Amino acid sequence: MSANVKNTMREVMKLGWQFIKKNGYTKSEALKVAWANIKLKAQMQKKVVMFWYRKATTGEIRQAFGSLAESIVPPILGNGRKPNDNIQTYWDTEKGGWRCFKKVNLLKIA
């Protein structure tokens, strides 16, 4: 098994266990959401992706068009913050700004 595959599997399992411990998901539910998050991040690094997630504050479902591709995203300046493993940030191509959501709230990728 290549190192890249091992690292991906490690990331999926780590994220899945976080969902089990913090949110009470079953192992099956947690791994499904973890894989969806990994796939979303990989797709966003290449292109603009349409996806849906549940907003943490209101509970409503939001459709988003986001990207992490260097050709689309403006240069990132350091803000002095420590990255949060439970949050996925993305460049909202519709609004032209940075947005984020809790990884556990990801519902669907188009």
Side-chain angles (χ1 to χ4, degrees):
M1 210 184 295
S2 71
N4 191 22
V5 173
K6 284 184 181 181
N7 289 337
T8 302
M9 291 297 292
R10 185 177 296 120
E11 192 174 347
V12 168
M13 292 305 290
K14 180 181 172 187
L15 195 55
W17 280 112
Q18 285 178 359
F19 296 158
I20 291 169
K21 285 188 229 175
K22 293 183 180 181
N23 303 97
Y25 278 25
T26 65
K27 191 173 184 181
S28 175
E29 292 171 331
L31 290 177
K32 284 178 187 176
V33 176
W35 270 114
N37 276 282
I38 299 300
K39 290 177 183 178
L40 175 64
K41 186 176 178 182
Q43 287 181 16
M44 284 197 304
Q45 289 174 342
K46 297 176 186 171
K47 61 182 182 177
V48 176
V49 181
M50 180 174 61
F51 58 96
W52 290 266
Y53 63 90
R54 185 175 312 280
K55 292 175 76 173
T57 55
T58 61
E60 69 183 79
I61 295 174
R62 181 177 180 333
Q63 178 184 21
F65 294 88
S67 181
L68 296 172
E70 290 183 16
S71 59
I72 299 170
V73 175
I76 300 170
L77 303 174
N79 59 6
R81 286 182 161 181
K82 186 173 86 172
N84 188 338
D85 292 336
N86 299 322
I87 303 289
Q88 175 64 56
T89 58
Y90 66 96
W91 179 259
D92 189 333
T93 56
E94 290 183 316
K95 300 290 183 180
W98 289 101
R99 300 226 185 265
C100 65
F101 65 93
K102 289 183 179 181
K103 289 181 180 181
V104 73
N105 290 339
L106 179 64
L107 299 174
K108 184 179 172 184
I109 304 170

